Amino acid sequence: MTMSFTRGSVRNALPLVPFFIFLLIFLIIPTVSVVNGSISQDGSYSLDKLAALSDGAAMGALLKSVLLSAVTAVIGAVLGAVLAWLIVSSPPTSVFRRVVTSICSVLAQFGGVALAFAFIATIGYSGVLTAWSKSVGGPDLYGTGWLYSVTGLILVYTYFQIPLMVIVFLPALEGLRVQWREAAVSLGATSRQYWTQVAGPLLAPAFLGATLLLFANAFAAYATAAALVSQGNPILPLMIRTALTSEVVLGQAGFAYALAFEMIIVVAIIMVGYGLLVRRTSRWLQ
Amino acid sequence: MSATSTGPTGWKRALGLVPFAAFFFLPLYAMADFSTRTIQGLGRTLNGWRNLIADPQIYAAILTSLGLAALTVTLMLMLLVPTMIWVRLRAPWATRIIEFLCLLPLTIPALVIVVGMRDVYLWVVWIFGESALTLSFVYTILVLPYAYRAIDGALSSIDVKTLSEAARSLGAGWGTTIARIVVPNIWSGILSAAFISIAVVLGEYTIASLAGYQNLQVVIVTIGKADGMTAVAASLATLLFGFVLLLTLSVLTRGRSQTLTPEPLDGSHS
Amino acid sequence: MQLTRVAAAALTASVSLFALTACGPPSSSNDNAGSDAASATSAEDLGGMDALIKAAQKEGELNVIALPPTWANYGEIIKTFADKYKIKVNSALPDAASQDEINAAKQQKGKSTAPDVFDVGQSVALANTDMFAPYKVATWGDVPDGFKEETGLWVNDYGGYMAIGYNSDKVPDVTKLSDLLAPEFKGAVALNGDPTQAGAAFSGVMMAALANGGSADDIAPGVNFFEKLKNAGNFVAVDPTPATIESGQTPVVLDWDYLNAAETAKLPSWKVVIPSDGAPVAGYYFQAINKDAPHPAAARLWQEFLYSDEGQNLWLAGGARPIRGDAMAKAGTIDKAKWDALPTVAGTPVTPTEAQNKAAADYLAANWAKVVG
């Protein structure tokens, strides 16, 4: 709908200005700073910092981040979908369902430090499960501290990926109408055929989209990793931490900008994919 | 009310839920156990929990984070509610822009924001001082996606145009219309946005730690190096608080999921 | 279309705001910046020690940063200074690292909470001399050359040698680094931090390099040693803290001797030894005054206190080697019992130069991740 430029239009746009300015200052400018910081060097533009991203250590961190995110996204997606399927049969207003969705919201949002300590309390050096296992002669769960490495991160990330999946995927499962199943059955479809030819294709975009969201979530996650891994920079976010706070290798603030820029690119690509898949989902599963 | 969808019920469901319940509750139980242990491993003590109030560092951090939560919610509501209402009433062309901007923080990780906000925060510190409460500006950005979705959902379920036109035709000014007509009707969305924002702010670590401020999660990590018991107690307290918060929210909004739109004439609705 | 107009307005606004933030805020100078104390380069400039004390007491407060109470006895040093001169000491961020001190000073420039003094590691100190104010303490002459900057921008304050601390109740006795490769040390050995981040851990790898045929110029054998340690399953990538030491999670810690000594005070079975299979690695910390200190007189008085006999002996009580130690031993003002109790070193200590540090740091940045994973 085209509108000509009138005084009224300016008056209509004016109350939106505070919002735009706020976002400009606290979101757009930091993002632009990161991009600008990663392609400039002492005042002029240069690609040196971006070139540093192809260094062995930086590439390794990127690969490990991608691996960690992919693994936890897939595990979280599959297990989360199963959990969602298990609770979808309760009506949305039942106590059980509301309690479960509240728990999922808390675990998905809080994440970070609290979960790191939860796992330290469970399978850390003096963790509850570790001590119990020792007392019944079971395996040494602590080992050489695998919890504080990428392997440990996979376990802990899964803990908040599953609830996130439940929150994101539940609406899609809800959209699966009982009538469709009844219709399929009445046309002679077996349960297997229903799942592979009706429900499967309908849920696939939502499932894939949710998996991508989980990937982005794990990729950008910092707090959990920072609380667990105090030595080493196996993944990208921790490498940014070192670049900003190291007292041994100095002058790395610029490298931090380049790493942050890399993060934006990866997450942006994933989120674009997610957006496309969400649009496909919303066609059928209102 | 949607028809209950396909899914197992009864004992099959219970069986499937058991491993999940075990996986999710074990660490929480471990936290409760760990935080009440004595150093020698015999008996129980509430020292870790008492430290939440007794230890000045943690107590100050708890107050800081609560203050941040309150400020962030206020800022977010002041920024978002009038803007979104206005967009629906007078500037529908801006809907897509606002939606894109509000969902942008999902794509730009907090880690990136904290790296890029250094210059901006030099100014913020110069104007507002170095209290940790200045973090509420950037926290408002962080909670935008969740708050937007909550308020947008609530706004979609009422007919803002009709309501506001009715109010205006009866002589109400814009302020009264928004404050006394529209807001009470989207109360569930506002509450939802507020509670989720509180949860996010209380659990935030990335920006606070890399910008050098002492909020609750930063102090928990610092304390965790010396006193694991208190750190675990604090973490469990935050989780429990968030859970209570969100459960309260779902109870409060239980009766408000009714829409006010008229029923479609052909009776087709799920 | 008004969409384009809005876009145009947004673009102009963002460009101008961006330009504005790209240049920082006006650096507001605090009230004391122009005062006599801020430009004093020695106590004489202000008219003697008494005048300095008076000026400091008038300021009433001192901001310190990154000084943990159990690090070289700083807890007692701070308390003694506060009680003696009736000046309130604000100790911020005790767990911060050297770089954090500089970051805080930059971020809080002009504010009354900015740090007044710095106690930083070598790399950070030498990279940030433009933030320091020159000042020569009364006992300037006692500090050997090479341990102070000629105009007084920084002075070494205390130091120690890299040592191995171990819990004799849990692991067998250790005399040299290669002992740690034995199977009794499975999952036991920890570095105080990540060598690409923390100076103490960096020096730990340097110590391993010297013990395995390397030198201050060649840290690669050190990295290889830790690779061997990791493959044997003896290395834990966990930051040691008093909690982990007491619980037994990190029974062996490679750290500065004075930090390990602080643990012996708490855990009697904790022994500290400087390994005998390589030259000892010496490291000193650098003391400096913030050029934009909000309390310049108090900062200078703090400096005078630290380098007085009393301050130096307090550092010695924390197990660190005070920089005036040799001069004080000759003059008989040192606490003889504690001075003699310091661990003995065999061989000439090695202190890497800044250039050697940088080369080693670059090597670590590229290769350490491969070891630890």
Side-chain angles (χ1 to χ4, degrees):
Chain A
M1 184 169 99
T2 55
M3 281 199 267
S4 55
F5 177 50
T6 64
R7 246 147 125 223
S9 318
V10 176
R11 273 238 313 264
N12 282 341
L14 223 47
L16 301 178
V17 167
F19 178 80
F20 285 130
I21 292 196
F22 188 85
L23 252 80
L24 190 70
I25 299 181
F26 291 104
L27 183 61
I28 309 294
I29 290 189
T31 313
V32 173
S33 290
V34 165
V35 176
N36 189 46
S38 60
I39 55 175
S40 66
Q41 179 96 314
D42 299 324
S44 59
Y45 285 98
S46 110
L47 289 175
D48 282 348
K49 287 185 197 143
L50 288 180
L53 288 176
S54 57
D55 261 351
M59 265 284 123
L62 175 65
L63 252 58
K64 284 223 191 84
S65 269
V66 168
L67 197 65
L68 172 68
S69 310
V71 169
T72 54
V74 168
I75 298 181
V78 168
L79 291 178
V82 169
L83 184 56
W85 180 59
L86 285 172
I87 66 175
V88 80
S89 54
S90 296
T93 47
S94 76
V95 172
F96 171 72
R97 177 110 157 226
R98 264 186 292 123
V99 166
V100 174
T101 33
S102 295
I103 296 180
C104 285
S105 292
V106 174
L107 294 178
Q109 303 289 15
F110 267 71
V113 175
L115 288 182
F117 278 103
F119 273 86
I120 293 179
T122 316
I123 53 177
Y125 184 77
S126 16
V128 168
L129 206 57
T130 322
W132 176 79
S133 177
K134 228 184 272 182
S135 68
V136 297
D140 177 10
L141 289 174
Y142 173 70
T144 48
W146 62 273
L147 177 63
Y148 307 107
S149 68
V150 178
T151 327
L153 285 182
I154 293 183
L155 177 63
V156 183
Y157 276 25
T158 312
Y159 196 85
F160 63 70
Q161 294 283 56
I162 296 181
L164 185 63
M165 182 64 176
V166 170
I167 297 178
V168 175
F169 194 56
L170 204 54
L173 270 183
E174 287 237 295
L176 217 54
R177 314 273 164 83
V178 175
Q179 296 90 328
W180 294 345
R181 183 175 193 138
E182 287 168 6
V185 167
S186 71
L187 285 170
T190 62
S191 184
R192 188 196 163 113
Q193 280 172 320
Y194 166 69
W195 278 107
T196 53
Q197 292 179 13
V198 181
L202 279 173
L203 288 176
F207 183 81
L208 283 175
T211 312
L212 285 182
L213 190 66
L214 260 59
F215 182 95
N217 190 40
F219 193 79
Y222 172 78
T224 317
L228 271 180
V229 180
S230 51
Q231 292 190 16
N233 330 305
I235 55 178
L236 208 52
L238 293 181
M239 200 158 226
I240 296 185
R241 169 175 73 172
T242 303
L244 289 175
T245 60
S246 170
E247 62 180 17
V248 169
V249 191
L250 297 181
Q252 282 205 318
F255 189 46
Y257 283 107
L259 289 169
F261 183 46
E262 191 175 47
M263 276 191 89
I264 301 181
I265 300 286
V266 175
V267 177
I269 295 177
I270 301 291
M271 292 306 280
V272 163
Y274 171 69
L276 291 172
L277 282 167
V278 158
R279 221 174 291 164
R280 284 216 36 205
T281 312
S282 58
R283 272 197 294 162
W284 280 101
L285 300 170
Q286 268 319 336
Chain B
M1 189 189 82
S2 66
T4 54
S5 318
T6 56
T9 50
W11 67 267
K12 265 192 271 182
R13 180 162 83 151
L15 197 61
L17 284 172
V18 162
F20 284 104
F23 179 62
F24 284 111
F25 282 115
L26 187 58
L28 298 176
Y29 164 75
M31 283 177 103
D33 181 274
F34 195 94
S35 63
T36 50
R37 266 197 218 154
T38 54
I39 305 190
Q40 297 84 359
L42 323 144
R44 293 273 155 207
T45 168
L46 282 177
N47 266 341
W49 291 86
R50 226 175 276 134
N51 273 340
L52 293 178
I53 310 180
D55 185 323
Q57 198 183 9
I58 295 197
Y59 190 58
I62 292 180
L63 292 179
T64 307
S65 278
L66 287 176
L68 272 170
L71 271 177
T72 307
V73 167
T74 317
L75 210 55
M76 176 270 295
L77 289 176
M78 270 178 14
L79 202 64
L80 216 50
V81 173
T83 306
M84 289 173 73
I85 296 179
W86 188 260
V87 162
R88 273 180 192 261
L89 292 178
R90 279 281 185 274
W93 51 266
T95 318
R96 281 302 196 81
I97 306 176
I98 304 274
E99 181 176 354
F100 174 73
L101 285 176
C102 284
L103 297 184
L104 203 52
L106 284 179
T107 314
I108 304 180
L111 199 49
V112 170
I113 296 182
V114 72
V115 170
M117 79 182 204
R118 293 180 139 200
D119 288 331
V120 174
Y121 258 75
L122 282 178
W123 282 94
V124 171
V125 167
W126 185 72
I127 299 175
F128 292 99
E130 347 51 49
S131 156
L133 296 176
T134 54
L135 279 177
S136 46
F137 291 120
V138 72
Y139 280 179
T140 311
I141 300 283
L142 286 186
V143 305
L144 270 184
Y146 315 104
Y148 174 81
R149 278 216 204 102
I151 300 180
D152 189 55
L155 276 176
S156 305
S157 63
I158 64 170
D159 190 351
V160 186
K161 253 190 155 20
T162 316
L163 278 176
S164 64
E165 274 170 25
R168 299 266 294 161
S169 70
L170 287 171
W174 275 118
T176 322
T177 313
I178 292 185
R180 291 175 58 181
I181 306 296
V182 181
V183 164
N185 277 296
I186 54 171
W187 195 235
S188 70
I190 290 185
L191 268 186
S192 179
F195 281 24
I196 300 230
S197 303
I198 296 179
V200 170
V201 169
L202 287 181
E204 211 285 323
Y205 173 76
T206 309
I207 296 191
S209 79
L210 288 175
Y213 291 104
Q214 304 277 305
N215 78 345
L216 180 58
Q217 301 294 327
V218 172
V219 169
I220 289 182
V221 173
T222 311
I223 298 235
K225 298 208 175 104
D227 180 1
M229 206 172 56
T230 313
V232 171
S235 302
L236 189 55
T238 7
L239 280 176
L240 287 176
F241 181 69
F243 174 59
V244 165
L245 211 61
L246 291 175
L247 196 57
T248 314
L249 172 70
S250 76
V251 164
L252 286 178
T253 56
R254 169 182 40 185
R256 293 172 186 272
S257 49
Q258 314 297 329
T259 66
L260 297 176
T261 51
E263 300 227 328
L265 288 174
D266 58 0
S268 65
H269 60 97
S270 51
Chain C
M1 260 224 68
Q2 61 189 47
L3 211 55
T4 18
R5 298 231 178 233
V6 169
L11 200 60
T12 345
S14 52
V15 167
S16 42
L17 263 175
F18 183 60
L20 204 60
T21 52
C23 35
S27 41
S28 52
S29 49
N30 54 62
D31 309 304
N32 285 323
S35 77
D36 293 328
S39 48
T41 55
S42 70
E44 278 73 56
D45 283 358
L46 284 172
M49 270 301 282
D50 292 325
L52 177 61
I53 296 176
K54 266 214 202 63
Q57 283 171 331
K58 189 146 160 281
E59 285 169 359
E61 286 189 29
L62 176 73
N63 296 334
V64 296
I65 185 172
L67 301 182
T70 50
W71 181 291
N73 204 17
Y74 260 118
E76 205 183 325
I77 293 177
I78 291 176
K79 189 168 179 309
T80 312
F81 178 82
D83 291 340
K84 180 167 176 172
Y85 295 109
K86 309 282 183 293
I87 294 177
K88 183 161 171 286
V89 178
N90 305 314
S91 178
L93 299 182
D95 293 306
S98 302
Q99 186 61 44
D100 296 323
E101 299 185 43
I102 303 292
N103 290 346
K106 285 197 183 132
Q107 220 177 356
Q108 294 171 33
K109 197 160 151 183
K111 297 265 161 206
S112 66
T113 50
D116 286 311
V117 287
F118 301 115
D119 182 20
V120 289
Q122 183 175 358
S123 306
V124 175
L126 297 178
N128 290 288
T129 49
D130 54 347
M131 295 193 60
F132 306 154
Y135 186 77
K136 292 189 185 166
V137 292
T139 50
W140 179 256
D142 278 349
V143 179
D145 289 331
F147 290 95
K148 58 192 178 189
E149 199 275 341
E150 43 204 19
T151 62
L153 281 177
W154 52 261
V155 196
N156 284 139
D157 41 21
Y158 58 87
Y161 300 102
M162 275 309 288
I164 306 176
Y166 63 95
N167 191 341
S168 53
D169 282 347
K170 296 224 155 60
V171 293
D173 279 335
V174 178
T175 48
K176 39 196 211 296
L177 215 50
S178 49
D179 287 346
L180 298 177
L181 290 168
E184 289 87 359
F185 292 91
K186 202 160 170 52
V189 183
L191 266 177
N192 188 5
D194 182 311
T196 60
Q197 285 175 270
F202 173 81
S203 299
V205 181
M206 185 63 82
M207 170 170 76
L210 291 175
N212 285 284
S215 70
D217 291 305
D218 180 19
I219 200 172
V223 180
N224 295 339
F225 173 78
F226 277 96
E227 193 172 359
K228 262 191 265 170
L229 211 58
K230 176 121 209 276
N231 289 339
N234 291 5
F235 179 69
V236 273
V238 167
D239 275 356
T241 66
T244 63
I245 289 177
E246 275 145 39
S247 73
Q249 190 176 6
T250 55
V252 181
V253 177
L254 271 57
D255 203 354
W256 295 118
D257 56 355
Y258 49 89
L259 294 180
N260 270 323
E263 197 52 44
T264 311
K266 281 193 246 164
L267 190 68
S269 55
W270 190 258
K271 296 208 171 53
V272 183
V273 63
I274 298 178
S276 59
D277 49 352
V281 178
Y284 285 87
Y285 270 79
F286 289 55
Q287 187 74 23
I289 298 178
N290 186 357
K291 198 172 58 177
D292 299 305
H295 313 101
R300 285 158 175 78
L301 183 61
W302 171 257
Q303 205 91 317
E304 294 285 357
F305 174 71
L306 291 177
Y307 289 90
S308 67
D309 290 342
E310 191 180 2
Q312 297 280 296
N313 272 324
L314 279 171
W315 265 329
L316 178 60
R321 260 155 239 278
I323 196 69
R324 286 180 55 227
D326 289 326
M328 283 166 69
K330 268 207 207 91
T333 48
I334 198 92
D335 184 334
K336 195 138 192 356
K338 299 212 179 79
W339 182 247
D340 290 336
L342 288 174
T344 46
V345 285
T348 331
V350 170
T351 313
T353 64
E354 192 43 28
Q356 288 167 328
N357 268 345
K358 178 141 194 337
D362 289 338
Y363 180 84
L364 275 179
N367 293 289
W368 183 254
K370 299 184 192 141
V371 169
V372 170

